[in-house]
Amino acid sequence: LGDGYDIIEEGLSGRTASCDDPLLDGLNGYSYFYPCIMSHRPLDLIIITLGTNDAKERFALTPLNIAMGIMRLAGRVKNTMSGRDGKDPEILIVAPAPIGPLYKEKNAFHSMGRESDLKTKEMIPFLHTMAKEAGYHFISAGNHLSMGEVDHMHLDVEGHKKMAELLERKIHEIFQVRG
C-alpha cells in the first residue's frame, strides 16, 4: 500500500462470523470483535473476510443466515468511535471465494460437511445486497479468484497474491472517495 499504512492482521483459521464451535473454543468472531477493535483503535478501515467456516454442516446455517451473521458482526463497529476523531472506521466486507466443489474429495470435507460449497456460493448475493444497503464497501473475491487445489477452500500462493492486489486497489479507491 505504500507509506502511511499500518496493517493489523487478525486472521485465525477456523474463525466464524457468529457461531460458537462445539468442537473448538474461541473461534466466534462476534465475541472477539469488539475487544479487538477497541484495543487497536484508532482504525481507519476494518476488513471483514469471514463466512467460509460458518458454512460447516454442524452449524446448520443457510446462505442467508451466514450473510446475516457477517452483517451482525460488521454492525458491532457502529457507534464505537473506534476511528479517528471519534468517528467510526470505514468497513470493507470481502465475500470469500466460494469453496470449490472438489473439496468433497479432500480431507476438508470431513470438517466442513455437506453443501459447504453451495452455501459459500449462494451466500454472496445476500451479503452483497445487505452490505450495499448498510453503506459498507464490498468485494466478492470469487469474482476475481478461486480457492486453491490443495483442499479447494484455502487460497494458494497465487490466490493470496491476487487477493492482495484486489485489496490494494479497493483500499486506495475507498480512501480516494473518502478523502
Side-chain angles (χ1 to χ4, degrees):
L1 291 172
D3 294 335
Y5 290 88
D6 292 319
I7 298 170
I8 303 165
E9 192 270 332
E10 286 283 347
L12 178 63
S13 185
R15 183 172 284 153
T16 67
S18 63
C19 298
D20 286 320
D21 194 316
L23 304 177
L24 302 165
D25 291 334
L27 297 177
N28 184 333
Y30 188 80
S31 301
Y32 177 76
F33 200 56
Y34 183 80
C36 176
I37 63 172
M38 297 310 282
S39 67
H40 292 301
R41 69 181 176 179
L43 301 167
D44 295 309
L45 172 68
I46 295 174
I47 301 172
I48 300 171
T49 308
L50 290 168
T52 302
N53 289 297
D54 298 82
K56 290 178 179 174
E57 185 178 7
R58 66 180 169 258
F59 299 134
L61 297 177
T62 68
L64 174 62
N65 296 155
I66 295 167
M68 291 170 69
I70 295 166
M71 293 303 297
R72 179 175 175 240
L73 176 69
R76 290 204 83 176
V77 177
K78 289 189 176 191
N79 303 314
T80 61
M81 298 181 291
S82 56
R84 298 195 188 279
D85 301 321
K87 296 179 182 175
D88 291 331
E90 298 286 328
I91 296 174
L92 169 58
I93 296 177
V94 180
I99 296 172
L102 294 178
Y103 88 104
K104 296 170 188 155
E105 299 173 8
K106 305 291 183 174
N107 284 335
F109 176 75
H110 302 295
S111 173
M112 297 301 293
R114 295 176 298 221
E115 299 186 356
S116 296
D117 56 334
L118 299 175
K119 289 179 183 183
T120 56
K121 182 179 180 182
E122 293 170 6
M123 175 260 313
I124 295 170
F126 291 119
L127 188 57
H128 183 206
T129 298
M130 291 177 192
K132 185 177 178 182
E133 288 174 357
Y136 302 144
H137 304 280
F138 180 83
I139 299 174
S140 176
N143 291 345
H144 305 278
L145 52 105
S146 59
M147 294 298 189
E149 293 185 16
V150 171
D151 62 5
H152 302 278
M153 60 177 280
H154 290 95
L155 297 175
D156 57 16
V157 172
E158 186 62 27
H160 279 281
K161 181 180 177 190
K162 287 180 181 179
M163 178 67 94
E165 292 167 355
L166 178 65
L167 290 172
E168 177 186 17
R169 283 191 305 273
K170 188 65 175 181
I171 291 167
H172 285 301
E173 175 188 310
I174 289 169
F175 289 106
Q176 286 177 356
V177 170
R178 187 184 80 164

